[in-house]
Amino acid sequence: MRAKGPAIAAGATGAAAGAAVFLGQYPTMQVYGTTIFRERGAGKRVALTYDDGPNPEQTPRLLDLLERHGAKATFFLIGQWAEREPGLIRETVARGHALGNHTYTHVTMPAHRADTIREELRRCRGAVEASGETFSTVDGAALMRPPYGRRRPGTLRTMREEGYVPVTWSITCYDWRAHTTTRAISRRGKRAREGDIILLHDGSNEEPAADRHKSIEGTQAILEHLGPMGYSFVTVPELVASARA
């Protein structure tokens, strides 16, 4: 009987830890601080967002697809890949898309001290600015997506002090999973409605030229499904502006 106390305490500790992980990673949770994740009042507009590029193999194909459909998107770039592809960054901006910071090496931000987070953000910014481009902004703050969506109060505070606004998402397509299918990706994306932000990937934190053909095929299916329904595809700053209009 004496073991009940420690067991209960351990269970409570585990539950609290699990809750903390959930609150700090689930994209629409706002307990630890506000993020841009959906914009009610945006009308029939959604935002396609792509993490982990620029990807020399996949991003150009994606840019062509988006252009054929008159769609704009937001790309959250990894700094170490951005250093390799300045021309591709310039092309992305020239085609009307938005850019955001996704750290230099795709770190789990809550696992690091503030000085490490600042260095990751600054190195990624430097890599993008070396191309001649800058991150897109909302209310003067640059777009930033925490890797894996993971954040804590201190993480968000550091981001804001560095001049960023955090962006998560409301629709997850799970396109990073090795065994996912184009059909599964597109099925999730087709659920998007007014003001949703869709998470997809044109790259990988592990390989600069990772194969993301299923993400591109899924994007095509989403465009072909939502477009005829009257939806337009806009950047995150455009989505926010339209919701405020």
Side-chain angles (χ1 to χ4, degrees):
M1 296 297 291
R2 292 180 181 177
K4 283 188 177 181
I8 292 173
T13 300
V21 170
F22 178 78
L23 294 173
Q25 182 167 329
Y26 198 74
T28 61
M29 282 292 178
Q30 304 290 285
V31 174
Y32 287 157
T34 58
T35 68
I36 297 172
F37 69 93
R38 181 191 296 119
E39 289 295 311
R40 299 295 192 189
K44 298 191 78 170
R45 298 177 182 87
V46 298
L48 293 167
T49 66
Y50 297 88
D51 288 5
D52 296 352
N55 182 326
E57 300 295 331
Q58 305 298 322
T59 306
R61 293 180 55 210
L62 178 58
L63 294 177
D64 288 344
L65 172 64
L66 294 170
E67 186 167 349
R68 288 197 298 272
H69 287 267
K72 305 303 180 186
T74 304
F75 292 81
F76 291 93
L77 309 181
I78 294 178
Q80 63 181 344
W81 304 154
E83 286 180 338
R84 303 163 61 109
E85 302 294 337
L88 186 50
I89 294 173
R90 290 191 291 268
E91 182 180 358
T92 299
V93 174
R95 296 204 192 192
H97 305 292
L99 304 180
N101 194 322
H102 201 44
T103 74
Y104 186 78
T105 61
H106 203 271
V107 294
T108 298
M109 297 174 75
H112 294 276
R113 294 163 54 95
D115 55 351
T116 299
I117 295 173
R118 294 182 195 279
E119 180 70 9
E120 284 280 333
L121 294 174
R122 292 172 182 177
R123 290 186 72 186
C124 184
R125 183 190 288 271
V128 170
E129 291 182 347
S131 74
E133 303 296 345
T134 59
F135 292 127
S136 306
T137 62
V138 169
D139 295 332
L143 305 182
M144 197 279 150
R145 172 166 286 162
Y148 315 104
R150 294 172 185 162
R151 69 266 186 208
R152 295 293 298 275
T155 309
L156 295 175
R157 182 171 56 252
T158 301
M159 290 167 54
R160 296 185 198 282
E161 290 172 353
E162 289 293 306
Y164 290 95
V165 57
V167 181
T168 51
W169 59 89
S170 53
I171 299 289
T172 307
C173 292
Y174 298 102
D175 59 326
W176 67 86
R177 292 177 174 173
H179 301 296
T180 195
T181 64
T182 297
R183 182 178 180 182
I185 294 168
S186 61
R187 183 176 65 249
R188 295 184 180 100
K190 289 176 183 178
R191 298 172 183 166
R193 292 298 180 264
E194 176 182 313
D196 274 322
I197 296 177
I198 303 174
L199 171 66
L200 289 156
H201 295 74
D202 65 328
S204 165
N205 62 301
E206 297 178 349
E207 167 58 46
D211 181 8
R212 290 297 190 193
H213 76 276
K214 289 185 287 189
S215 300
I216 296 175
E217 292 169 358
T219 296
Q220 180 172 338
I222 293 166
L223 292 167
E224 292 176 349
H225 179 77
L226 293 178
M229 294 172 62
Y231 283 89
S232 58
F233 300 88
V234 300
T235 66
V236 168
E238 290 170 336
L239 190 73
V240 173
S242 62
R244 296 177 179 178

